[in-house]
Amino acid sequence: MIEGVYPIVGCGDCTVIESCVGRKIETTGQRLGVSKSEHRNGIVGRNDSVTPRGSADPGGNGVFGFTQVPDGSGVFGLHASTGIGVGGLGLIGVSGGSVNGVGVMGVSAPPGGKDAGDGVQGITNSEFRNGIYGLNEATNSRGNRDPAGNGVLGFTNVPDGAGVEGVNGRGGHGIFGTGGFGATGMGTEIGVWGIAKGSTAWAGYFSGPVLIEGTASLTDVEIAGNVSVTGNVTVRGDVLLPDRDIAEQFEVESPSLCSPGSVMVIGDAGALVPCSRRYDKRVAGVISGAGTLRSAITLGASGDPAPSAKIALVGTAYCNVDADFAPIEIGDLITTSDTVGHGMKAADHSSSFGAIIGKALGSLRSGRGSIPILLALQ
C-alpha cells in the first residue's frame, strides 16, 4: 500500500494494531480497520476495473460483504453518535439486492427506543431526480388486500403518525400519484385525510368526475362542476339555491319558436307550443332562462333527444308580456294573450279560471316586454 495513492487505507497513528488492514486481533478473531482521522477511513476497498459487469453476479464491487446468519447483514454500518451508519456516493450511492428478502434496510433504534433518527433518508439537489425512488417490476395482479406489490410502502405504529407523509416546502404537491389509481388510501378510520392550512387552502381538490361509494360525511364542500348521485339524498337543514325557479323538461313542437320567456300551452299532439289566444286553459308555464333568472331545479332531465324546453312551473321567472291589451301593474294576474308566446293582464276574471300563469312582480305600461312574474298556475 502506498500512502497517497490509497489515502483512505490504514492509519499512521493506529495504536490498536500494527496495520489497519487485514490484521487479526487475537481477542476477537475479527479483522478490524481503525482510524483516528476525520479525513481517513477504517477500511477501504477499491476496484480499478472500468468494464461493466454485465451480469447479476455479486462482483465488481469495491467492498463486498457476505453472511449466512439469518438475521445478520452482509454489510452493516453503525455510527456511535448521530451520524450516518452507511453512506454512499455516486450515480447510485447505496445499492442493495436480495433474492427474496430486503434489498436495503435502514434501522434507527438507539437503546431505550427514544430519540431515534430516520431509518432511511434519501436526499437529492436535482429537480430531475427523486430523494427516494421505489420500483416494483412485477406485472401480475396481487389478488388480495395484503399491503404488497407496491413501489413504496410506509408503515407506522405511531397513533398520530403517517405511514407515508409528503411535504413540499415551496407550495407544490406533498404527495402526487399517477396511474390507474393515482393515490389510494385504506384505513379502519380514515383512508385519505387532507388538511388545509390557511383560509384559501383546500383540503382536497378534484379536477374531473368524483365517484363516492358508501356513506360520505362532508362539511363545507364547494363543487365547481356536475354531481351525479345514484341513491337517496338526505338533507338535515336548508337547501340554498341561488337561482329562482323549479322547471320541468317538456317536449316542444317547434324549437325555433321557443325562446326563454315564452308562454307555452299544451298542443293538440301533447307537445308544447307558444300560446296564441287569450285565456287559454291549456297553459303550461313559461320557458325558463329569460333575463338574469335561471332554473334552480329541473325535473324530467332524462337526456331524451326529442326537442324540449325547460318550463318554469314554480318560483320566479321572466315572462314575455303584451301591455297593449291593458297596462300591467305589480300584483296583476297574468294569462295568455293573442300575441304568440306572450302573456297579458287577466282583466276578465270570469274567463281567467284555469288560465292564470302567475302574478306580476314588475310593471309595463304599454307595448311588449319582459317582466318577472311569480309563477302560480290556477
Side-chain angles (χ1 to χ4, degrees), residues 14-330:
C14 179
T15 60
V16 179
I17 53 177
E18 294 180 3
S19 173
C20 291
V21 180
R23 180 75 172 182
K24 282 189 176 182
I25 299 178
E26 297 178 357
T27 56
T28 62
Q30 299 178 351
R31 295 181 180 273
L32 177 67
V34 179
S35 174
K36 290 185 177 180
S37 171
E38 67 274 20
H39 302 294
R40 305 287 179 153
N41 301 283
I43 293 178
V44 63
R46 173 169 172 166
N47 189 324
D48 288 334
S49 175
V50 296
T51 303
R53 187 173 59 202
S55 68
D57 296 335
N61 306 289
V63 174
F64 176 75
F66 174 80
T67 183
Q68 294 192 46
V69 178
D71 54 354
S73 302
V75 174
F76 180 80
L78 174 67
H79 196 287
S81 182
T82 59
I84 300 172
V86 175
L89 180 65
L91 179 60
I92 301 177
V94 175
S95 175
S98 173
V99 176
N100 57 6
V102 179
V104 174
M105 181 175 181
V107 179
S108 178
K114 297 294 183 181
D115 301 324
D118 297 318
V120 175
Q121 185 180 93
I123 300 175
T124 181
N125 60 2
S126 171
E127 66 272 24
F128 302 109
R129 300 293 182 179
N130 304 286
I132 294 179
Y133 176 76
L135 173 66
N136 188 324
E137 294 184 324
T139 57
N140 295 326
S141 298
R142 187 174 61 203
N144 56 48
R145 290 186 174 272
D146 294 339
N150 308 289
V152 174
L153 171 68
F155 176 82
T156 183
N157 279 315
V158 179
D160 55 353
V164 174
E165 178 176 352
V167 178
N168 190 308
R170 294 297 182 92
H173 299 286
I175 296 178
F176 181 79
T178 61
F181 293 90
T184 301
M186 180 171 60
T188 57
E189 294 186 13
I190 299 176
V192 176
W193 186 10
I195 302 174
K197 294 184 177 181
S199 59
T200 61
W202 296 92
Y205 182 87
F206 303 91
S207 296
V210 176
L211 173 64
I212 298 176
E213 295 181 357
T215 302
S217 178
L218 306 174
T219 303
D220 295 335
V221 178
E222 181 176 333
I223 299 174
N226 300 321
V227 178
S228 178
V229 178
T230 301
N232 300 323
V233 177
T234 301
V235 179
R236 296 179 178 87
D238 290 337
V239 177
L240 306 178
L241 304 173
D243 291 313
R244 304 287 292 277
D245 72 64
I246 297 176
E248 183 173 350
Q249 203 82 17
F250 281 89
E251 183 180 353
V252 297
E253 286 189 7
S254 303
S256 60
L257 301 178
C258 301
S259 59
S262 295
V263 178
M264 305 295 287
V265 298
I266 303 171
D268 295 335
L272 301 190
V273 296
C275 71
S276 58
R277 70 186 187 196
R278 63 185 64 188
Y279 302 108
D280 193 339
K281 294 178 174 59
R282 301 176 302 166
V283 65
V286 177
I287 296 182
S288 179
T292 58
L293 302 181
R294 298 292 180 268
S295 296
I297 297 175
T298 301
L299 309 176
S302 61
D304 191 328
S308 63
K310 290 196 296 184
I311 306 301
L313 306 176
V314 177
T316 303
Y318 274 95
C319 176
N320 296 335
V321 293
D322 190 340
D324 286 339
F325 297 103
I328 299 174
E329 302 292 341
I330 294 175

